[in-house]
Amino acid sequence: MARSNTLLVKGNEAIAMGAIEAGCRYYFGYPITPQNDIPEYMSRHLPEAGGTFLQAESEIASINMLLGAAATGARAMTSSSSPGISLKQEGISYLCGSQIPGVIVNMSRSGPGLGGISPSQGDYFQATRGGGHGDYRTIVLAPHSVQECYDLTMRAFDLADRYRNPVVILGDALLGQMKEPLKPRKHRGKAVDKDWALTGAGGREPRLLKSLYLSEGELTKHNWMLHRKYRRMRREIRYETVGVEDAKLVVVAFGSVARILKNAVSMAREQGMAVGLFRPVTLYPFPQAVLRRLAERVNRFMALELSTGQMVEDLQLSVGPDVVDFYGRPPGSIPSPDELYREIRKNYRKRIG
Amino acid sequence: MKQVFKRPKSLADVPFHFCPGCHHGIIHRLVAECIDRFGLRERTIGVASVGCSVFLYDYFAVDVLEAPHGRAAAVATGVKRARPDDFIFTYQGDGDLAAIGTAEIIHAANRGERITVVFVNNAVFGMTGGQMAPTTLLGQQTTTTPFGRDESLSGYPIRMAEIMAQLTGTCYVARCAVDTPKNLMRAKKSLQKAFEAQVENRGFGFVEFLSACPTNWKMTPQQATAHVTEVMVPYYPLGVFKEDENPN
Amino acid sequence: MYFDSIIAGFGGQGVLLMGNLLAYAAMEEKKNVTYMPVYGVEMRGGTANCTVVVSDREIGSPIIHSPVSAVAMNLPSLEKFGPRVKKKGLLLVNSSLVPEKEIRVRGVDCLPVPSRELALEAGNERLANMVILGALVEKSGVVSLKALKKALYPGLDVRYHSMIPGNQSAMDKGAEFVRNGGR
């Protein structure tokens, strides 16, 4: 092929490829639709890279195997979809408490309960609010293209190591199944010195990784330290904007909805409406300050989600509740660009004129 | 002067927090002696569980990782896969291993993970204040079986060693007690065998220890140790259930 | 340049492969492309369709409700997607399987393709999907026939590479059918 360096792959495969390129050598998972391409790819290609793929007996076992492997300093990943991610929450809480890095992929499906296999963004709260017990956060990255699935997975490993914290990649069924050209690139992240890793106490004091703090004041100190770390993560904030410079209405969406919205926004602009798009790439930390600055000259915002309203709360906290409208829908069908265009037009006429 | 007794190098120089008459301290010491005996201290990673043995890391002078309740075998799997040349052991109580962690222990054993599992069975949830464990004997009173364990309500005490021995993936399985000097010496031997299975890369080693819990049994240390001998051993027979040179 | 197509049929008719090949051909021509499969819940024997979007600009939605073009490999697909094709759009129908009297879609350029018969002429009736794909490419001009034929190399597993010439002549048959005015 002419573009021999370009591949046509699914979002799920791009995640697996990005992980291996980033040095992930341990993958633990349990089958669940719609993310099975990830374990399937890993089972074939991780051994080639000198790594280990292990199909665990449950999601719970998977996340705990990750905890074990990552505690030794290795780069490890697990992936699942919504119901399976719920089961992993205990382990994610322990990873945060023990400050063990790891990458957790949620190619989310719809709920609650067994729900369905159609795309949904109903796991936003779970991903951005910690998800398990305790006062903790994970960095959350939301790709919207196959290339981003690859690039952000590599980045997720670097961020996890840098902050000694789990990183969640939040995609959905649409992104996982979609194929697009992918340009694989070399991973250039710097290796982090893991002076905390458990490697056997040879010639040094024994090390301990734990989340239990019972002595007077110890847990308070630990939590403040974690809190400071979460604040430091703000320097990792990423987002994309389209046409916000002259916008009177800025629509805000992430992941696959942002993708569909790109068409709707260009349709609106072709019709002469001053509409811009803001797409958060990091859902935690949320680009609050950037949006606040944007609100100094943009009057109206509109959140669009594949849920009945979750990210909209972060938007309201950023720009104020009075200037935000919402369009969302529960799982079952994916909105078409035309539908989203009509919603934007309706809102624009009402709010801008 | 000839030294006949000393603290194992793998044991930290701190007093145990365990209740008087509890067998955890003895079992800790046996494990530490075994680590020393095989010269493994500098390449051992212990996996601590949740329960009375949660403070494992305070007593062992080795690298230790805390596992969520019941997940030690899965955590140890991850550690061992990433560090195949290191010595990995878990130390788990009966609530941890035989109740909430049943799936993890069965599947780690069935995969033949090269890990060594120390399972302490005192027929009760100790840390949380004496509730029923899956290993609680029929008729035994606990804070959640005030009228004694009733099989029609709570089923039967589970014999983990026998279950583990049934799995093709296991290499060495034994049940021991430390109620008498003779049993203690046998336990030491069994632990060595389970260590060897991993050190020689043969497979999964599992040693169940019957252990006394005087506090939650509401007994004196002497009564509790006698209870192990007279009441627990008849239901949980001691012995080696599996010794396989090449299981898989 | 912008083009999209919904390709639909029974599972087993090779509609997902058609979409994949179209995507590879577009990639070969350095165009932006997305391919989105939609399966029935059941793994086999159900309905299958996929959406391919080709553009020289960044592609927004990979999912299209009203496509510029559609390929209906069977009657249920025609009934579902035929009416959704945009005005003046293009609709290819597998007339080997769909009775002539059912092919009535207003306002679009509708082309019935006797894919099985043409595939037989090319030597293998199982290549009906390649015939229609060749016709789609020739009729729409979304990619060159040359790029489509080349797409078989990355698009097919190496195990099936010996069958590439057969597939290519089936594509030629479909393209020829269009050049001859749909006869």
Side-chain angles (χ1 to χ4, degrees), chain A residues 67-68 76 79 186 206 231 248 300 302 330:
Chain A
L67 185 142
S79 65
K186 283 262 163 280
R231 285 181 62 120
K248 290 179 177 148
R300 299 298 311 181
M302 183 182 181

Side-chain angles (χ1 to χ4, degrees), chain C:
Chain C
M1 179 267 160
Y2 177 90
F3 173 87
D4 61 43
S5 190
I6 295 179
I7 304 172
F10 291 127
Q13 281 187 308
V15 299
L16 300 185
L17 177 61
M18 290 164 77
N20 264 296
L21 292 175
L22 191 55
Y24 273 114
M27 211 168 87
E28 169 73 26
E29 294 191 342
K30 300 189 197 294
K31 292 178 169 111
N32 292 313
V33 62
T34 61
Y35 160 88
M36 186 73 211
V38 180
Y39 294 85
V41 174
E42 57 286 270
M43 282 293 281
R44 280 169 222 291
T47 56
N49 73 76
C50 63
T51 304
V52 178
V53 182
V54 182
S55 177
D56 49 16
R57 298 206 315 208
E58 183 188 357
I59 297 172
S61 178
I63 291 183
I64 307 296
H65 181 77
S66 309
V68 174
S69 75
V71 176
M73 294 295 285
N74 61 10
L75 184 57
S77 300
L78 176 65
E79 285 170 341
K80 185 169 182 188
F81 298 108
R84 287 207 210 158
V85 178
K86 279 205 169 78
K87 285 263 174 317
K88 295 179 185 166
L90 173 64
L91 176 65
L92 271 69
V93 183
N94 178 12
S95 59
S96 302
L97 217 60
V98 181
E100 199 85 28
K101 63 178 170 59
E102 303 285 350
I103 311 175
R104 267 174 287 137
V105 181
R106 265 188 251 165
V108 302
D109 186 357
C110 183
L111 179 68
V113 183
S115 61
R116 198 177 71 91
E117 291 76 4
L118 291 169
L120 274 169
E121 282 178 30
N124 186 347
E125 65 171 324
R126 291 179 58 202
L127 297 175
N129 58 341
M130 295 298 130
V131 169
I132 296 216
L133 190 56
L136 175 69
V137 162
E138 183 68 25
K139 182 86 182 168
S140 65
V142 53
V143 292
S144 69
L145 192 61
K146 192 178 152 204
L148 181 69
K149 288 181 178 177
K150 243 178 137 174
L152 285 161
Y153 290 92
L156 287 182
D157 193 290
V158 183
R159 282 175 295 173
Y160 305 119
H161 276 199
S162 61
M163 295 163 77
I164 285 177
N167 279 268
Q168 288 175 334
S169 50
M171 287 170 174
D172 280 332
K173 275 282 169 204
E176 199 182 292
F177 176 77
V178 170
R179 281 197 299 272
N180 292 339
R183 277 182 295 273

